[in-house]
Amino acid sequence: MSDIINRGRRDLLAFGAFAAVAWRQAAAAAREAAATPPTPLSELAYGQVQFGAGPLERQARQNHRLVLSLDEDALLRPFRIRAGLPAPPGEELGGWYDTYAFAPGATFGQWMSALSRYYAITGDAATRAKVQRLVRAYAATVDARGSFYRHNRFPSYTYDKLVGGLLDAERLGLDDTARATLARTTRAALPYLPPHAMPRNEHAQPGEDFSRHAWDESYTLPENQFQAWQLTGERIHLQLARRFLYDEFFAALARGENALPGKHAYSHVNALSSAAQAHLSLGNPMYLAAAQHGFAMIAAQSFATGGWGPDEHFVIPGSGALGASLEEQHKSFETPCGAYAHFKLTRYLLRITRDSRYGDSMERVLYNTVLGAIPIQPDGHAFYYSDYTRHAKKTFHPDRWPCCSGTLPMVAADYAISTCFTDARGIYVNLYVPAQINWTQNGVPCGLSIETDYPFAAAVSMTLRLPSPQSFTLNLRIPAWAQDASLVINGRREPTPQSGLFAAIRREWHSADRIELELPDARRLESVDAAHPDTVALLAGPLVLMRIVEAEAAAPMRRDSLLRAQRDRSGGREWQVPTDAGAVKLKAFLDIGAEHYSAYQRVLPS
Ligand SMILES: [Zn+2]
């Protein structure tokens, strides 16, 4: 016996010009219904999700290998020299990271986080040993005067990453010295932190000569400070979390005022995770409203890929600036940092609201942006911007070891905790990727295996492994675009699941029960913004199919021709549109290599 419960009625509006209204209405409805809000969904532990072969597993493995190979003396050099330790061994790492470069040691804490997360996923002893060596060697550089932070352009930014790294080392890397090192790190940084959350371009540190270049991002601090408070119970972390809450920004968003235009994109999306964590830690609904409204406003000015912030800044909605950026702005989306922040924010909002559309949004960013990042090179050259101009090419940032080399290893590790969530009644499947999921339900260990080539195939097969029959709810995310989804359980067709919701299937499950979900790749065109109705992206399911540019100027295509793009006959991952000038080829971003490509196409007016 099975019943499919679709909770509530929701708008089926896709992302686009109208999305902000829909999201805001959903947020208002959620607040009304929140008299007794449900407990947020729980994340699985990193080690409870093991990916099978595929692009997520590959990107995680590449990044694990990269952070494991980083030279430890080079990593420690900026900390050792700035602390005045004599004659430290080894060479500088290079690029942004160097002792007196743009952002000395800024990615150290992020790499410590990434190593700890990969240890939690793989149980690899060499990874754990590296975390322990790095924590201890770093601890030896922390002096009471906070020498590291003197004449440092990014005291808040770097301190925040160190806090995150030490928290992960404590929680995941199993280093029992990390907690004490966190306390010493905080004492050292305190004199150099600004008095409150300050805008990115404001002079952030009295007495330091960065008046024209201070780009510090103190408003991203509270998320990690709340977590440090929860882990250690030290009140200094609660005080810092409160002190750096960007209340001016959050209150405006909570009131429904669009406070985004002109602001630095990645850091402000990252700050919304501080708002979500403030809601969880303090129980103040203003912070949840800020995160939800902020997300809705970002969705309303996102590209079809899910990316946002051309030239790293938010635009004025309705101004046509997004479409205009396609002409010359190659810095369309700061991809690894942006995806890291987007994954975190959508994970919080999905857990808090149980609204599946946050998962839809995460999925778009996954397949159309970060999975297509070129791997970080051993010398520190890293993918930074996705380019949505009409003759785009994947490139590295000119400087080595930029911010995005810190976030790519973290977001690739976080795919594991973004795949499924749980509550007391069951499990929520958010990403359909080849994986073995292990979780505890009704006090017993349960397993779910997912086999699929989605989104390059419609079929998703799931099989349960249970020690004995168990009653629980299996919640499957049905994307808002998947209006032709179908579901078969143990060979029997179930009622059509409603798109834009989690399909909730509650029953007594038996081991080897088989769930077959079909998500046919709904085709649609999305214009870049209302001012450019004939500049469209072609979507197939969650994928944006991008044109491989073979001729400089392509004539506008017919909308119906573009929508009928055919997959190549061999079952490969290339689509074709026949035109008068020959076949136009299309590929997903993760399959594009050295070719020039165009994310958006010109079409004839409808
Ligand atoms: Zn970045």
Side-chain angles (χ1 to χ4, degrees):
M1 203 187 95
S2 134
D3 59 321
I4 297 192
I5 310 149
N6 286 312
R7 289 169 299 99
R9 291 184 65 243
R10 303 254 171 81
D11 291 327
L12 297 176
L13 293 172
F15 292 100
F18 304 105
V21 177
W23 282 101
R24 214 169 301 157
Q25 286 168 347
R31 276 199 309 285
E32 279 167 27
T36 51
T39 333
L41 297 175
S42 300
E43 289 178 352
L44 293 176
Y46 281 92
Q48 287 179 300
V49 177
Q50 298 292 325
F51 291 128
L56 284 77
E57 183 274 337
R58 184 163 56 244
Q59 195 170 52
R61 181 163 34 83
Q62 285 167 346
N63 280 280
H64 182 189
R65 196 186 312 138
L66 176 95
V67 288
L68 194 55
S69 73
L70 292 170
D71 181 274
E72 292 170 28
D73 284 328
L75 290 183
L76 290 155
R77 195 169 172 84
F79 297 96
R80 287 170 170 163
I81 292 181
R82 295 178 77 101
L85 300 182
E91 306 284 322
E92 295 278 1
L93 190 65
W96 285 18
Y97 194 89
D98 289 359
T99 304
Y100 296 108
F102 179 61
T107 37
F108 180 83
Q110 294 173 307
W111 289 329
M112 200 151 44
S113 279
L115 281 163
S116 302
R117 294 174 193 189
Y118 288 117
Y119 167 67
I121 292 168
T122 63
D124 174 55
T127 304
R128 182 186 186 190
K130 185 161 185 133
V131 173
Q132 293 178 333
R133 286 194 303 272
L134 286 175
V135 170
R136 285 147 211 242
Y138 159 74
T141 73
V142 183
D143 67 36
R145 298 183 310 281
S147 305
F148 176 77
Y149 297 96
R150 291 187 64 232
H151 304 291
N152 189 321
R153 183 179 283 135
F154 297 107
S156 309
Y157 182 100
T158 311
Y159 166 66
D160 185 40
K161 309 310 176 218
L162 288 166
V163 173
L166 292 166
L167 284 175
D168 280 341
E170 165 87 17
R171 289 182 298 207
L172 306 169
L174 305 180
D175 188 285
D176 53 13
T177 68
R179 186 182 296 224
T181 306
L182 171 62
R184 292 178 53 223
T185 295
T186 298
R187 282 197 294 277
L190 270 177
Y192 297 89
L193 300 177
H196 54 84
M198 295 175 102
R200 187 172 185 256
N201 293 320
E202 219 166 87
H203 177 56
Q205 183 50 55
E208 299 294 324
D209 184 23
F210 285 117
S211 50
R212 274 171 293 178
H213 304 289
W215 292 349
D216 210 8
E217 295 165 7
S218 55
Y219 43 81
T220 70
L221 280 175
E223 185 187 19
N224 280 325
Q225 293 299 320
F226 280 122
Q227 295 186 18
W229 172 54
Q230 285 152 17
L231 187 76
T232 66
E234 296 291 339
R235 288 197 65 78
I236 180 65
H237 294 302
L238 178 60
Q239 289 161 3
L240 287 172
R242 289 182 188 275
R243 173 169 141 194
F244 289 107
L245 280 171
Y246 202 1
D247 278 344
E248 178 188 326
F249 177 57
F250 295 150
L253 293 175
R255 289 192 300 268
E257 293 166 20
N258 195 333
L260 298 180
K263 291 210 164 51
H264 181 244
Y266 156 64
S267 57
H268 284 81
V269 174
N270 205 22
L272 293 179
S273 282
S274 282
Q277 185 57 247
H279 165 72
L280 292 178
S281 299
L282 304 176
N284 181 342
M286 184 276 277
Y287 291 113
L288 177 58
Q292 285 185 287
H293 292 175
F295 179 86
M297 292 163 191
I298 294 160
Q301 60 165 284
S302 290
F303 294 103
T305 58
W308 30 258
D311 200 22
E312 298 196 25
H313 285 78
F314 286 115
V315 303
I316 299 170
S319 66
L322 213 58
S325 79
L326 303 180
E327 297 304 323
E328 290 184 343
Q329 182 51 263
H330 296 277
K331 302 172 178 177
S332 303
F333 176 46
E334 186 186 352
T335 298
C337 289
Y340 179 64
H342 201 98
F343 263 69
K344 249 185 329 141
L345 179 60
T346 49
R347 216 161 44 233
Y348 276 121
L349 292 176
L350 173 58
R351 287 175 52 216
I352 294 168
T353 67
R354 305 180 179 212
D355 188 330
S356 64
R357 295 176 305 166
Y358 293 114
D360 296 0
S361 173
M362 179 196 288
E363 180 176 74
R364 277 216 200 185
V365 166
L366 173 66
Y367 289 111
N368 300 309
T369 77
V370 63
L371 269 184
I374 320 171
I376 302 167
Q377 303 299 294
D379 69 359
H381 279 104
F383 186 74
Y384 197 112
Y385 297 113
S386 292
D387 181 344
Y388 301 147
T389 60
R390 296 175 198 287
H391 195 253
K393 202 167 167 32
K394 290 183 180 177
T395 55
F396 293 120
H397 194 278
D399 300 328
R400 296 187 295 139
W401 305 114
C403 50
C404 287
S405 70
T407 42
L408 186 60
M410 288 205 292
V411 68
D414 285 357
Y415 296 155
I417 56 163
S418 306
T419 303
C420 290
F421 302 89
T422 60
D423 68 4
R425 290 175 59 79
I427 185 161
Y428 288 70
V429 184
N430 180 47
L431 297 177
Y432 299 111
V433 293
Q436 297 286 334
I437 317 291
N438 296 300
W439 87 107
T440 302
Q441 191 71 55
N442 312 335
V444 300
C446 297
L448 174 74
S449 67
I450 307 177
E451 290 168 49
T452 187
D453 195 26
Y454 172 88
F456 295 94
V460 181
S461 292
M462 290 164 273
T463 310
L464 286 162
R465 282 172 289 105
L466 307 172
S468 57
Q470 296 294 327
S471 290
F472 60 85
T473 309
L474 177 65
N475 300 275
L476 302 175
R477 182 177 60 85
I478 310 299
W481 50 261
Q483 286 159 32
D484 298 321
S486 64
L487 185 59
V488 171
I489 300 178
N490 295 334
R492 284 185 52 180
R493 183 165 291 274
E494 301 287 327
T496 302
Q498 193 179 333
S499 59
L501 294 169
F502 278 102
I505 311 150
R506 185 162 187 89
R507 59 161 66 183
E508 185 180 78
W509 295 100
H510 297 241
S511 204
D513 276 352
R514 192 171 169 83
I515 301 102
E516 288 163 285
L517 176 66
E518 287 271 328
L519 297 169
D521 73 345
R523 297 288 175 85
R524 63 258 185 237
L525 303 178
E526 282 186 11
S527 55
V528 63
D529 57 28
H532 300 84
D534 302 323
T535 300
V536 303
L538 169 63
L539 284 113
L543 293 174
V544 175
L545 300 183
M546 301 187 180
R547 179 169 57 88
I548 303 304
V549 176
E550 289 173 327
E552 277 292 328
M557 281 185 277
R558 288 168 53 107
R559 289 166 191 266
D560 55 350
S561 312
L562 191 54
L563 281 165
R564 284 200 300 271
Q566 290 288 316
R567 192 82 173 267
D568 64 12
R569 289 191 192 86
S570 59
R573 287 169 34 163
E574 188 177 291
W575 283 255
Q576 289 201 350
V577 179
T579 70
D580 294 343
V584 167
K585 290 181 194 162
L586 300 139
K587 282 187 183 179
F589 190 61
L590 69 162
D591 289 333
I592 292 174
E595 313 99 305
H596 283 93
Y597 65 92
S598 179
Y600 281 91
Q601 322 308 330
R602 288 198 183 90
V603 289
L604 295 167
S606 52

